[in-house]
Amino acid sequence: MPQDQILKVWGELACFTRPELKVERFSYPVITPSAARGIYDAIYCQPAEFRWQLTRIEVLAYPRYIALRRNEVKDKAPSSMTILRWMEGKEEVKPIFADDNPPDDTKGRTQRQTMALKNVCYRLHAYIRPWPGFEARLPALEAQFRRRASQGKCIYQPYLGCREFPAYFELVEPGAQMETPPPIDLDIGLMLYDVFDLSRPGKPLDTANDELPSISLFRAEVRNGTVTVPDYESDAVLKGRRVANA
């Protein structure tokens, strides 16, 4: 049976943006399952073999907000396939300019208000869910994750909602003494669960057709400092259709 892999995660700033806010960024009071899964993926992921399933989020520091103004570029980053073609020299590189953006000579950035969190700290619980045909690999996958996490290794720097807010982590070994979360009780309401379809195996580089968003939500509550995260397949997770932009 899969065992929960536990991480203690902290950082100076975090922003887990509510999807209903289109322009200004306003963070949920605690980390979302999607952002937590991203931290695990940053340490170890094999999307063709398994995915991470969050089970619990323990809030080890009271949520505290801070108002920031940040410069953001207006253009979106290209798809991973486009970037790969740039790297292979098969397509001309088209950079994103923050200022003096040719050919219209207008600024490519905008300043936006952000209500972020400061000095966050969480204890995350998640387990590896192998895809069909890879169940026998479970012990090796778990051992590889623990080895990487215990040495501080990661594929890329984990972050807390936004890439400029780095996340620091340490592995909590089985049987280790753990601090009790503070008595925080919050009714968050509907919270973002994930932005991808977690019901199917992924690929290292999906085609543009497979990158369509698949938003899911769940009703989140913090009870005694803990958020219980339902399985993605559970009826407690509200899933939307994968629809391309019109």
Side-chain angles (χ1 to χ4, degrees):
M1 291 292 293
Q3 294 184 347
D4 272 4
Q5 309 299 320
I6 306 173
L7 289 176
K8 183 177 180 180
V9 175
W10 67 95
E12 295 179 0
L13 293 169
C15 185
F16 313 109
T17 307
R18 294 176 179 268
E20 65 269 23
L21 301 179
K22 299 292 185 181
V23 179
E24 308 303 329
R25 298 185 183 274
F26 196 101
S27 179
Y28 286 109
V30 301
I31 189 172
T32 62
S34 175
R37 179 184 60 79
I39 293 174
Y40 280 90
D41 279 347
I43 299 170
Y44 183 56
C45 67
Q46 294 286 351
E49 297 185 11
F50 74 90
R51 73 168 175 86
W52 287 102
Q53 174 62 60
L54 266 290
T55 61
R56 195 158 76 246
I57 297 169
E58 294 177 289
V59 185
L60 303 182
Y62 284 93
R64 300 170 62 196
Y65 281 94
I66 183 172
L68 305 171
R69 292 192 70 83
R70 302 160 60 232
N71 287 325
E72 298 184 8
V73 293
K74 297 178 182 179
D75 292 336
K76 294 182 179 179
S79 69
S80 55
M81 294 298 293
T82 299
I83 294 174
L84 181 61
R85 289 195 292 271
W86 289 355
M87 295 169 60
E88 295 175 344
K90 297 179 179 179
E91 188 174 314
E92 182 184 356
V93 177
K94 298 179 180 178
I96 296 175
F97 293 92
D99 287 297
D100 299 323
N101 192 17
D104 53 9
D105 200 36
T106 60
K107 289 184 177 180
R109 61 179 169 87
T110 184
Q111 197 172 69
R112 289 178 176 160
Q113 179 76 11
T114 297
M115 286 298 292
L117 299 170
K118 62 179 181 178
N119 299 325
V120 299
C121 187
Y122 307 105
R123 191 161 55 234
L124 308 177
H125 300 246
Y127 67 89
I128 289 175
R129 177 169 289 184
W131 296 116
F134 294 95
E135 295 86 352
R137 292 258 301 141
L138 178 61
L141 295 172
E142 291 179 334
Q144 177 73 341
F145 170 78
R146 288 194 297 270
R147 183 163 52 250
R148 291 180 61 83
S150 64
Q151 297 173 1
K153 292 183 177 180
C154 50
I155 302 168
Y156 54 87
Q157 175 65 52
Y159 54 91
L160 295 164
C162 298
R163 289 188 183 273
E164 60 265 45
F165 301 154
Y168 307 100
F169 65 90
E170 67 178 10
L171 179 69
V172 179
E173 297 288 354
Q177 186 174 2
M178 295 186 287
E179 60 184 296
T180 303
I184 302 172
D185 291 312
L186 291 172
D187 185 1
I188 299 173
L190 286 178
M191 185 186 213
L192 179 70
Y193 190 98
D194 215 294
V195 295
F196 294 107
D197 182 0
L198 302 182
S199 65
R200 61 190 182 88
K203 298 188 285 291
L205 289 174
D206 282 355
T207 64
N209 221 20
D210 287 335
E211 291 178 346
L212 298 178
S214 181
I215 303 297
S216 51
L217 306 168
F218 78 113
R219 190 164 295 280
E221 294 180 330
V222 184
R223 292 292 175 257
N224 291 320
T226 300
V227 180
T228 300
V229 182
D231 284 352
Y232 181 74
E233 294 80 8
S234 168
D235 292 337
V237 179
L238 308 175
K239 307 171 187 69
R241 291 189 301 122
R242 302 172 69 237
V243 180
N245 294 330

